Amino acid sequence: MPIARSQQIDLNVTPYYHCYVRCVRKAYLCGLNDVGKDCNHRRGWIVAKLEFLPQVFAIDVVSYAVMHNHYHVVLHVDREKALAWTPEEVMKRWRSLTKTSLLVTPTPETIEQWRENLYSISWFMRFINESVAVLANREDEVTGRFWEGRFRSQALTDEGALLACATYVDLNPIRAKMAPTLEKSDYTSIQKRVDAYKEDKPTP
């Protein structure tokens, strides 16, 4: 029996979580699919969301790896940051994500609900998965589910678990034989970190 999301994520226990989600039927809907269409560009859609959403949410991306039929992401929830936002800041951030009318003045209760949404992993993942599914279905001219189901999450309760999980995520493309090295692991955070290190490294 599936574990309720409220039992999987408890910010009083840890702010760090490993989340992952698979394409429906584990199909390569972000790679070379079963009819020979190359859909690798969809991995870029996911990366773009992973880079944009932390600018709005009180959630940071620790590491990620976007594969052909699933993706992994390690997230850090900064609840205190969200609680420190003014109501105006909350409204600005939430409206940047949704089509909430500027003509409607939300109640204090609504603003507090938006605040909670802005440090909610469920909402963070929802904004990724729903937008990618809509774009992909539109591109393929189909309807129906793109993802296998709701994302799964794993609490990372200490530094050892966090390090082990981040390493597991970083090595995913190599383990799957999609890339020979970290530098060639496309659509991963480790590739970006390696590239950034090379750019900052002083010339001998």
Side-chain angles (χ1 to χ4, degrees):
M1 183 175 181
I3 301 174
R5 186 74 61 205
S6 60
Q7 295 176 5
Q8 294 181 46
I9 299 175
D10 184 349
L11 299 181
N12 295 316
V13 174
T14 178
Y16 291 97
Y17 291 86
H18 168 216
C19 301
Y20 55 101
V21 62
R22 293 186 178 277
C23 296
V24 65
R25 299 186 304 278
K26 300 181 181 179
Y28 282 23
L29 299 181
C30 295
L32 191 65
N33 65 21
D34 55 4
V35 295
K37 180 180 179 181
D38 187 350
C39 297
N40 266 287
H41 60 282
R42 294 174 181 172
R43 297 162 72 193
W45 296 348
I46 297 171
V47 170
K49 286 292 181 181
L50 288 171
E51 293 178 346
F52 166 70
L53 290 176
Q55 300 175 47
V56 183
F57 279 78
I59 296 177
D60 302 311
V61 173
V62 178
S63 64
Y64 65 81
V66 183
M67 311 294 279
H68 289 150
N69 65 353
H70 69 284
Y71 72 90
H72 296 266
V73 60
V74 177
L75 300 174
H76 169 253
V77 181
D78 191 347
R79 177 166 55 183
E80 295 306 312
K81 178 180 178 180
L83 294 178
W85 288 333
T86 64
E88 291 74 21
E89 182 69 15
V90 170
M91 287 189 289
K92 177 182 176 182
R93 288 173 179 270
W94 187 250
R95 282 169 169 161
S96 73
L97 295 169
T98 65
K99 297 180 179 179
T100 306
S101 174
L102 295 174
L103 301 177
V104 177
T105 302
T107 66
E109 292 77 12
T110 298
I111 292 174
E112 290 311 305
Q113 183 59 63
W114 290 352
R115 187 191 303 277
E116 289 186 20
N117 294 349
L118 287 168
Y119 65 85
S120 163
I121 288 178
S122 291
W123 275 98
F124 186 96
M125 297 295 289
R126 177 177 176 178
F127 274 109
I128 298 173
N129 294 343
E130 287 189 358
S131 63
V132 169
V134 168
L135 287 172
N137 282 354
R138 184 181 301 156
E139 186 175 68
D140 291 342
E141 299 182 337
V142 299
T143 59
R145 292 171 59 181
F146 182 86
W147 302 106
E148 187 174 62
R150 294 190 68 194
F151 72 93
R152 297 183 181 182
S153 64
Q154 173 189 16
L156 306 174
T157 55
D158 55 44
E159 290 185 3
L162 176 61
L163 178 60
C165 186
T167 301
Y168 168 80
V169 171
D170 288 341
L171 294 176
N172 235 248
I174 295 176
R175 189 180 299 108
K177 303 188 184 305
M178 291 172 58
T181 64
L182 296 177
E183 292 88 340
K184 294 185 180 299
S185 297
D186 295 334
Y187 305 103
T188 64
S189 57
I190 186 63
Q191 184 187 59
K192 288 184 177 286
R193 294 201 299 272
V194 170
D195 289 345
Y197 172 78
K198 288 181 177 179
E199 290 177 4
D200 292 341
K201 186 177 180 181
T203 305

